[in-house]
Amino acid sequence: IDGKAIAAAIRREVKQHSEALIASHKVTPGLAVVLVGARTDSATYVKMKKKAAAEVGFHSIDKTFAESVTEEALLQCVQELNSDPSVHGILVQLPLPKHIDEAKVLESIRVEKDADGFSSENVGNMCLRGGKPPLAVPCTPAGCIELLQRSGVAVRGKECVVVGRSNIVGMPVAHML
C-alpha cells in the first residue's frame, strides 16, 4: 500500500472538485479548526490539516485557545462558526482538557458542518444498514478503508481484527469494515 501516492491522488481529486465548486458557484470551501491547549501532537496534526486544506484550495480559519479556556467560551466559538456562511466544515481537535465536556462541544457542531463525522446523527447513520448515509465519517477510519480500496485489498469474507474501540478510530473502522 503506497499511502503517499494515494494521498497525493486524493488531494488532486479534491482540488479539482474544489476548483469546480469555485468556478460554478463562486463558493470556496471553508474549514475551521479549533485547537485547545498546547499539545505538540495536536498542534502538529492541525498544521497538517491546514497544509492539506491550502493544497486543495480551501479557505481555512484557525481558532486557538489556551488550555484554561472555559467550556462556555468554546461553545460560543462553535456557535459563531456554525453561523459563519464561509465555514462549511468544523473540526474540534481532540482531546479537549478534562474540564470541558467533549461530547457537549462536539454535539454543538451543526451536523452539516461536522467535518469529523462525530455527531450522533452521523455516527448513527454510519452504523445503520439501509438508512441515510452519514454526511461525514471519522477521518482516520475513512482513510484506512480508502487505502484498502484504492490498493485493491478485498476485505469481504475476510476475518479482520480491530484493536481498540475508541469513538475516534476503533468503533468507526469496525463498522466500516
Side-chain angles (χ1 to χ4, degrees):
I1 296 176
D2 187 346
K4 286 187 179 187
I6 292 170
I10 292 169
R11 285 194 177 130
R12 282 191 302 273
E13 293 165 16
V14 172
K15 184 175 183 170
Q16 289 171 348
H17 289 293
S18 177
E19 289 169 346
L21 184 63
I22 293 166
S24 64
H25 297 290
K26 308 292 185 253
V27 173
T28 300
L31 177 67
V33 180
V34 180
L35 176 63
V36 178
R39 287 177 55 120
T40 305
D41 57 342
S42 291
T44 299
Y45 197 60
V46 166
K47 182 179 174 183
M48 291 169 35
K49 289 176 185 178
K50 280 188 51 114
K51 181 181 177 201
E55 286 178 18
V56 299
F58 285 18
H59 163 68
S60 67
I61 296 172
D62 295 334
K63 297 291 184 176
T64 304
F65 296 92
E67 180 96 12
S68 60
V69 68
T70 64
E71 184 175 287
E72 294 75 24
L74 198 53
L75 289 168
Q76 178 62 39
C77 172
V78 171
Q79 291 313 313
E80 289 170 7
L81 294 170
N82 279 334
S83 300
D84 185 340
S86 73
V87 173
H88 304 98
I90 301 170
L91 296 168
V92 174
Q93 181 63 40
L94 301 178
L96 293 174
K98 300 255 187 258
H99 68 279
I100 294 177
D101 183 344
E102 276 185 7
K104 187 175 183 180
V105 172
L106 294 176
E107 284 298 319
S108 73
I109 300 170
R110 284 183 29 206
V111 68
E112 301 86 15
K113 294 189 177 195
D114 175 24
D116 269 327
F118 291 155
S119 73
S120 57
E121 184 174 339
N122 278 325
V123 171
N125 286 339
M126 175 185 65
C127 294
L128 291 174
R129 293 191 188 339
K132 291 178 8 183
L135 296 175
V137 293
C139 304
T140 301
C144 292
I145 300 301
E146 190 73 18
L147 283 170
L148 293 171
Q149 290 174 340
R150 288 184 183 238
S151 298
V153 177
V155 294
R156 183 178 297 271
K158 302 273 180 15
E159 291 185 26
C160 299
V161 175
V162 176
V163 178
R165 56 187 178 153
S166 71
N167 288 335
I168 296 173
V169 179
M171 180 274 298
V173 83
H175 283 285
M176 290 178 184
L177 286 170

